[in-house]
Amino acid sequence: GSAPIADLQVQVCNIDAQIEPEVGTFGTLVNTIANGDLGGFDFPETTASVLVTSDIGSENPLVVTKAFQRGNIYPGETQELTFTFFNVYDENLLNVSLTDDLVANMTSNAGVEIGSAGLISNTCGGAVSAVPQNTVITISGIYLPIDTDCEVVVQIAMASDAPSNRTIVNTVPSAQITFDTVDQTGLNPLNGASDDLRVRRPIDLFKSYEPASVVAGGESRLTLIFQ
């Protein structure tokens, strides 16, 4: 055999480098270092790959919630619907957008529309469309810095002749919520936004006499029932 090499020291070290694929570049990127010589020592070829996708993974940079002002509504009433956007990512979020179709996104949706007040308030900036008596709310172009949140409040109305005694579930799918980061566009949050609203029956008034027939000068009890 060969003689041992004097004072040979074997060590392991890491060299870390950050890579940033070009925007719009998707697929598997392969990086190969050919075999060669390093300081008199031969090393074999080595290869590593990274998959570049439009999915940012298990992280959820943007959290969106929606909430009706109260848990119930009567036919003919109005109330506020609040959308809240939270940036929980380590980058600024750009062009945050949402579309809520009050017909397509609602179960048991008869009678629901945007109220006469339309847009009530907006701390998000961007552009908001909430046309009275329409059924589509659009929010677009929001810039959301790291660790911030904002709200858009819209008035909704229930028609006076709308069916009562039912529950409406209003869900905005995650596919209808989009945002960009500095190096990726057209992303969706992991979850949509949902809330429900109970349509109550208007108060009914019943009255009755007991007994229902009396002689002149007699007495009968009148009972009023509010239900």
Side-chain angles (χ1 to χ4, degrees):
S2 58
I5 301 175
D7 300 323
L8 175 64
Q9 295 183 359
V10 178
Q11 295 180 336
V12 176
C13 67
N14 295 330
I15 299 176
D16 296 320
Q18 180 174 315
I19 65 166
E20 294 187 2
E22 293 182 359
V23 175
T25 300
F26 302 114
T28 300
L29 304 182
V30 180
N31 177 247
T32 300
I33 300 177
N35 63 299
D37 176 273
L38 182 63
F41 294 93
D42 293 333
F43 61 85
E45 178 180 285
T46 182
T47 299
S49 62
V50 60
L51 177 62
V52 182
T53 73
S54 60
D55 181 6
I56 58 175
S58 60
E59 295 180 278
N60 194 24
L62 176 66
V63 176
V64 182
T65 64
K66 63 179 303 181
F68 292 103
Q69 183 180 5
R70 301 182 296 277
N72 57 74
I73 191 171
Y74 290 95
E77 279 193 332
T78 62
Q79 67 176 262
E80 296 176 1
L81 173 59
T82 300
F83 299 89
T84 307
F85 300 85
F86 302 86
N87 180 357
V88 293
Y89 199 40
D90 58 1
E91 293 184 20
N92 300 329
L93 300 183
L94 317 172
N95 197 31
V96 178
S97 302
L98 173 150
T99 299
D100 188 4
D101 187 326
L102 298 179
V103 174
N105 291 344
M106 278 191 178
T107 62
S108 189
N109 54 51
V112 182
E113 62 182 19
I114 298 170
S116 59
L119 175 63
I120 294 176
S121 64
N122 174 17
T123 65
C124 295
V128 179
S129 175
V131 179
Q133 299 183 333
N134 203 335
T135 58
V136 178
I137 300 167
T138 59
I139 302 168
S140 62
I142 296 173
Y143 171 70
L144 206 54
I146 298 172
D147 197 29
T148 60
D149 61 83
C150 66
E151 290 185 347
V152 173
V153 182
V154 174
Q155 185 188 69
I156 59 110
M158 183 65 63
S160 58
D161 59 350
S164 58
N165 198 28
R166 61 195 169 104
T167 298
I168 294 172
V169 180
N170 182 203
T171 301
V172 181
S174 61
Q176 294 176 11
I177 306 170
T178 60
F179 64 94
D180 302 336
T181 62
V182 173
D183 49 12
Q184 296 189 71
T185 61
L187 301 173
N188 305 109
L190 295 182
N191 303 305
S194 183
D195 197 17
D196 55 68
L197 184 65
R198 180 71 179 169
V199 185
R200 309 284 297 189
R201 183 176 63 185
I203 294 176
D204 292 325
L205 173 62
F206 302 93
K207 70 176 182 177
S208 62
Y209 288 98
E210 181 60 36
S213 177
V214 294
V215 298
E219 294 182 353
S220 178
R221 172 176 293 182
L222 171 62
T223 301
L224 300 177
I225 301 175
F226 295 89
Q227 179 175 303

